[in-house]
Amino acid sequence: MTNIEEKGKLWNKNFIITCLTYFLVACSFNLLMPTIPLFLSGELGVSPSKIGVVLSSYVAALLIIRPFSGYLVDVYARKPLLVLGISLFVLTFLGYYFAVSILFFIMLRFVHGLFWGLSTVSANTVAIDIIPASRRAEGIGYFGVNINIAMAIAPYIAVQIYDAYHFNALISSALFMGSLSIVTSLFIKVPHRKKLEKVPPISLDRFILVRAIPIFLNQLLLAFGWGTLVAYAVLYGKGIGIKNSGIFFLFLAGGIVFSRVTSGKLVDRGYLHQVMAVAILLISGGYVGFALVHDIYVYCIAAFLIGTGYGTLFPALQTIYINMAPASKRGTANSTYLTGFDLGIGTGMLMGAWLAGIFGFANMFLITGGLSFVALFIYWFNSRHVYEKGRIACP
């Protein structure tokens, strides 16, 4: 028997289709993320503090729907939920053609967040069902890179489309990519699961992975930074005189892709805690450089470091949650992991706008770097011990 056969084949047709589906739907969503602030400030004259409210309204919806999504994918068939979630998510883009007021934007983003939450929890859980257990961290890393690259590349493309063709062209582009994701999702073959004899009773541990709450709280500090980054990096770049500030996202994507070469394999080989520590250090250092040196070269280097840090962090952190849950609660584990980022990102968008209004964007990112450094101490002296005590030996 070959080594590959022993470990299980990762890159099969089913896994590739699942990755493609996730990439397409994530691209459609992230086309609007950096351009909504530009549209609101440039076309509607909305202040930064109110822009933060609009951006974070979808996060409020995510916080509501994520726990229920985890429960649904643990109890019911996962593929129908995935197709339904993506279809409703894509249809919601039509509403942006008619969004001309702040209130409408807030309501629309909230509805969009509900369907985005169901789609992402379903997609992550389906992927983990497909990935061989012996290559879980590696597989999660490659699967997760799809949304990370989408978060980086789509905003860059979005800025070019917005500058050349304006907001409606972006909506049409998002609709097109989203429609492709619906088509590809239909071809995913989900492994058969034994049907539950009865629906499990509703309880707290069906909605959140209780044993991982200390990890969850630590995660919020790191997710805060991602929220400030995706919302305000372009505005910050323009403010310090970088003409094509969308280039930040290309270097961010480069760092994310670079990190996937080894990080997942190192986690599978037992270096989880070392990988987490290095990831957080890179994130902290990147934010500090981003804030203190206003130069195009440092701007790009900081983007690469932050991308490498987050690209390393995402699969390692998700592996922690998955390894602390039995197979019957994978949906709950994924929901908890994603909710941690939702809450942290939403807080970053809201608090980031407030901090920038008082201290300026540079100091806002400096504070973000400090919070990330605090997260490293919490992880090393608390979270890693929580994981070692609560993990399941044979998930």
Side-chain angles (χ1 to χ4, degrees):
M1 181 178 290
T2 67
N3 187 49
I4 293 178
E5 288 171 337
E6 291 177 287
K7 295 179 71 176
K9 186 177 180 181
L10 176 61
W11 288 103
N12 54 58
K13 179 181 177 182
N14 207 24
F15 182 66
I16 292 171
I17 293 173
T18 307
C19 287
L20 179 60
T21 299
Y22 201 40
F23 175 74
L24 289 170
V25 73
C27 277
S28 68
F29 184 70
N30 285 284
L31 279 173
L32 299 190
M33 182 63 77
T35 48
I36 286 177
L38 295 176
F39 178 78
L40 291 175
S41 61
E43 301 294 328
L44 301 183
V46 180
S47 65
S49 60
K50 291 181 179 178
I51 290 175
V53 174
V54 173
L55 292 176
S56 59
S57 60
Y58 92 95
V59 180
L62 287 174
L63 292 174
I64 293 172
I65 198 64
R66 288 284 200 209
F68 292 99
S69 298
Y71 177 79
L72 290 173
V73 299
D74 280 340
V75 174
Y76 301 105
R78 287 167 179 167
K79 180 177 176 178
L81 286 170
L82 173 63
V83 175
L84 175 65
I86 293 177
S87 299
L88 293 173
F89 167 78
V90 173
L91 285 173
T92 307
F93 278 113
L94 294 171
Y96 289 97
Y97 285 118
F98 310 100
V100 292
S101 69
I102 296 177
L103 180 60
F104 194 101
F105 260 105
I106 291 173
M107 294 172 61
L108 187 61
R109 293 295 287 173
F110 184 85
V111 173
H112 221 174
L114 293 175
F115 301 139
W116 176 243
L118 177 59
S119 301
T120 50
V121 172
S122 301
N124 274 267
T125 308
V126 165
I128 290 169
D129 283 346
I130 293 170
I131 296 168
S134 61
R135 303 183 69 178
R136 181 165 294 153
E138 182 185 2
I140 287 173
Y142 285 124
F143 179 74
V145 78
N146 291 284
I147 192 169
N148 300 149
I149 293 177
M151 284 179 174
I153 293 178
Y156 175 78
I157 296 172
V159 172
Q160 313 309 312
I161 295 174
Y162 181 83
D163 288 342
Y165 304 105
H166 304 299
F167 195 60
N168 279 2
L170 269 176
I171 301 169
S172 300
S173 301
L175 268 170
F176 175 72
M177 297 202 74
S179 298
L180 288 179
S181 71
I182 296 174
V183 174
T184 57
S185 70
L186 297 174
F187 293 94
I188 298 173
K189 295 180 180 179
V190 180
H192 175 73
R193 283 195 305 151
K194 184 179 179 181
K195 188 175 181 181
L196 297 176
E197 295 181 2
K198 63 177 181 178
V199 176
I202 294 178
S203 60
L204 179 62
D205 65 347
R206 297 304 314 189
F207 295 99
I208 187 170
L209 194 62
V210 175
R211 66 173 63 190
I213 287 178
I215 310 288
F216 178 89
L217 296 175
N218 192 183
Q219 179 186 358
L220 296 180
L221 295 174
L222 297 164
F224 178 93
W226 191 264
T228 62
L229 196 69
V230 297
Y232 306 114
V234 172
L235 287 176
Y236 172 61
K238 290 183 180 296
I240 61 176
I242 296 175
K243 295 181 180 179
N244 186 12
S245 54
I247 196 173
F248 176 90
F249 292 100
L250 286 183
F251 280 87
L252 188 74
I256 291 170
V257 173
F258 173 77
S259 69
R260 301 301 171 148
V261 176
T262 57
S263 59
K265 293 180 180 179
L266 287 173
V267 172
D268 282 334
R269 291 172 184 171
Y271 298 100
L272 171 63
H273 302 308
Q274 294 89 333
V275 167
M276 285 289 295
V278 170
I280 299 173
L281 277 173
L282 288 171
I283 292 168
S284 303
Y287 278 125
V288 171
F290 193 52
L292 295 181
V293 185
H294 300 168
D295 174 86
I296 181 63
Y297 298 106
V298 177
Y299 186 78
C300 294
I301 292 170
F304 185 82
L305 289 176
I306 294 171
T308 303
Y310 276 114
T312 303
L313 175 79
F314 290 140
L317 189 56
Q318 190 172 10
T319 300
I320 287 175
Y321 281 103
I322 296 301
N323 287 354
M324 293 179 72
S328 61
K329 290 187 179 181
R330 282 179 184 165
T332 301
N334 277 316
S335 171
T336 306
Y337 162 76
L338 293 168
T339 300
F341 277 111
D342 296 338
L343 184 58
I345 288 170
T347 304
M349 289 176 175
L350 278 174
M351 293 297 294
W354 179 74
L355 290 171
I358 298 175
F359 304 109
F361 282 115
N363 287 323
M364 177 199 72
F365 284 116
L366 191 61
I367 292 169
T368 296
L371 290 175
S372 299
F373 198 69
V374 170
L376 174 60
F377 279 89
I378 295 175
Y379 180 81
W380 197 257
F381 293 106
N382 178 259
S383 299
R384 69 187 180 106
H385 301 299
V386 171
Y387 169 72
E388 292 297 340
K389 184 179 179 180
R391 69 175 176 172
I392 297 173
C394 298

